[in-house]
Amino acid sequence: MPMISSQEAQNIILQLVDVLTHTETISLDEAIGRILAQPITSPFDFPYWDNSAMDGYGVRFDDVSPGEQNKYISLDLVTEIAAGINPTISIRSGQACRIFTGGMLPDGVDTIIMQENTRQEGEKVTILEPPQYLGQFVRKRGTFYQANDTLLSPGIKINEAEIAVLATSQCSQVTVYRRPRVAILSTGNELISPSQTLQPGQIIDSNQYALKAFILKQGGVPINLGIVKDEKEIIKQKIIEAINCSDVVLSTGGVSVGDYDYVEQILEELGGKIYINTVAIKPGKPLTVAKFDNGCLYFGLPGNPVSALVSCWRFVKLALDKLSGIKGDYQPQFIQAKSFHDLSSNGQRETYVWGRLNFSNGEAIFELAKGSQNSANLINLALTNALAVLPVGVTKINQGDKVNILSL
Ligand code: AMP
Ligand code: MG
């Protein structure tokens, strides 16, 4: 299978993803971070009724408009309306009402005079400054939203602002897509778990934890299947378990060309169709992508910790976005920043280097992580928040030049 570009890999992966169809209905309290699966409408206009945007006085514009002869107009105060009160009387010509922010306008009132522009004496209020226009400081019914229009569409992520909209629409229950289930397994004879004692030659399995964290951040349900020895039958059994319990499998290691790299062979033996096995990207060249008849999408990621995470950030993220039901174009979101350092690549593969995106006087600046940019070096990956990309054919980006950034 030939090496393909990262753009081709992205296209193939996205084509392989079937959007989840299963939904579940949950309480609004649990909805944060979930993907909406139903259109939301409200039977109410918003604002629900005309109300005051200020503490002040409700008047009839015609009584107080700037065209009137008298500079200071005095009106009879006939009632007081706080927020939450349903006003029952009508305000006639020559009358006004005391009203507070959010208070519902009574019949007859069409304009609010803010309290700072008035003087109240007993049952009289004097208007010191006429309103600029009819309807000043009135929040008119239905100006923010009209009943039964679509408020929120399926495919959006529910964050705090959407929670507010759902609450105001009295949606105490909301239908969302179920979370994608992602099985995670680490292959390698050298691997031990963090709780084991390190013996010479061994490596602590960090990928299992890094990928779990990535999946949780993506809104998926991680299913940690642990460490698997580089023995074909054992890996095979674990992969069978993985593809039967998940929508997506992420395995790390065993996809290079070493003697112990069995993953691709096993996937084929199990009936998986392999679509990708090498991508022109650095780090992350060995990337196996396969699909099974039950719909399970398999990512065989490289074992090196940085390579595994870069593959997730660059490819798996887009696949999970689509799978989760998010509506969008599933493109990596690159932004431009000024490079604080010279960046280099051999120009053969799309190359990612890691570091920090900072803002200085409003300008985005990318600073390379200190220490080795080696795909086995997970240490200096900590505290980075961005990857800078050097496209194929670009061997150098000079300090001070613009570079594309994938913010993490
Ligand atoms: P592989 O892709 O299996 O050849 O592994 C490449 C490198 O990544 C080797 O140095 C492995 O020891 C290391 N590696 C593989 N799996 C993991 C893991 N789960 N956690 C940390 N390092 C790993
Ligand atoms: Mg290995």
Side-chain angles (χ1 to χ4, degrees), residues 185-192 201-209 211 226-227 230 251-258 260-261 286 301-308 375-376 378:
L185 58 109
S186 302
T187 71
N189 287 333
E190 73 279 32
L191 300 178
I192 59 163
Q202 294 183 325
I203 283 185
I204 297 165
D205 172 18
S206 56
N207 288 346
Q208 187 83 212
Y209 298 85
L211 298 188
I227 298 169
D230 287 318
S251 69
T252 60
V255 289
S256 309
V257 291
Y260 296 97
D261 295 335
L301 307 174
N304 271 316
V306 180
S307 314
S375 58
L378 58 85

Side-chain angles (χ1 to χ4, degrees), residues 141-255:
R141 173 178 179 164
T143 44
F144 302 160
Y145 167 78
Q146 296 201 327
N148 304 317
D149 282 355
T150 301
L151 258 180
L152 300 173
S153 300
I156 60 152
K157 190 168 196 169
I158 302 173
N159 285 319
E160 50 273 46
E162 291 74 27
I163 293 272
V165 170
L166 289 162
T168 211
S169 321
Q170 298 185 305
C171 289
S172 52
Q173 302 276 303
V174 52
T175 301
V176 295
Y177 290 100
R178 79 161 166 79
R179 296 176 193 271
R181 288 191 287 262
V182 184
I184 302 168
L185 58 109
S186 302
T187 71
N189 287 333
E190 73 279 32
L191 300 178
I192 59 163
S193 74
S195 60
Q196 290 174 289
T197 309
L198 186 68
Q199 303 294 340
Q202 294 183 325
I203 283 185
I204 297 165
D205 172 18
S206 56
N207 288 346
Q208 187 83 212
Y209 298 85
L211 298 188
K212 177 180 183 179
F214 166 74
I215 295 306
L216 285 172
K217 251 175 84 178
Q218 281 298 305
V221 180
I223 304 167
N224 284 86
L225 296 180
I227 298 169
V228 196
K229 292 275 174 224
D230 287 318
E231 282 168 44
K232 214 178 140 190
E233 263 320 298
I234 302 181
I235 302 179
K236 196 170 186 174
Q237 288 314 312
K238 235 351 171 214
I239 291 182
I240 294 174
E241 185 185 340
I243 58 186
N244 284 326
C245 73
S246 65
D247 305 299
V248 172
V249 179
L250 303 180
S251 69
T252 60
V255 289

Side-chain angles (χ1 to χ4, degrees), residues 338-381:
K338 190 160 103 177
S339 184
F340 192 73
H341 298 106
D342 286 342
L343 307 177
S344 60
S345 146
N346 68 10
Q348 306 288 303
R349 293 185 263 153
E350 186 174 280
T351 299
Y352 288 83
V353 291
W354 49 99
R356 278 197 77 78
L357 180 66
N358 293 316
F359 289 88
S360 172
N361 296 325
E363 188 176 33
I365 295 177
F366 175 78
E367 258 184 86
L368 210 51
K370 290 193 178 69
S372 172
Q373 292 273 326
N374 178 312
S375 58
N377 182 10
L378 58 85
I379 302 301
N380 72 347
L381 201 56

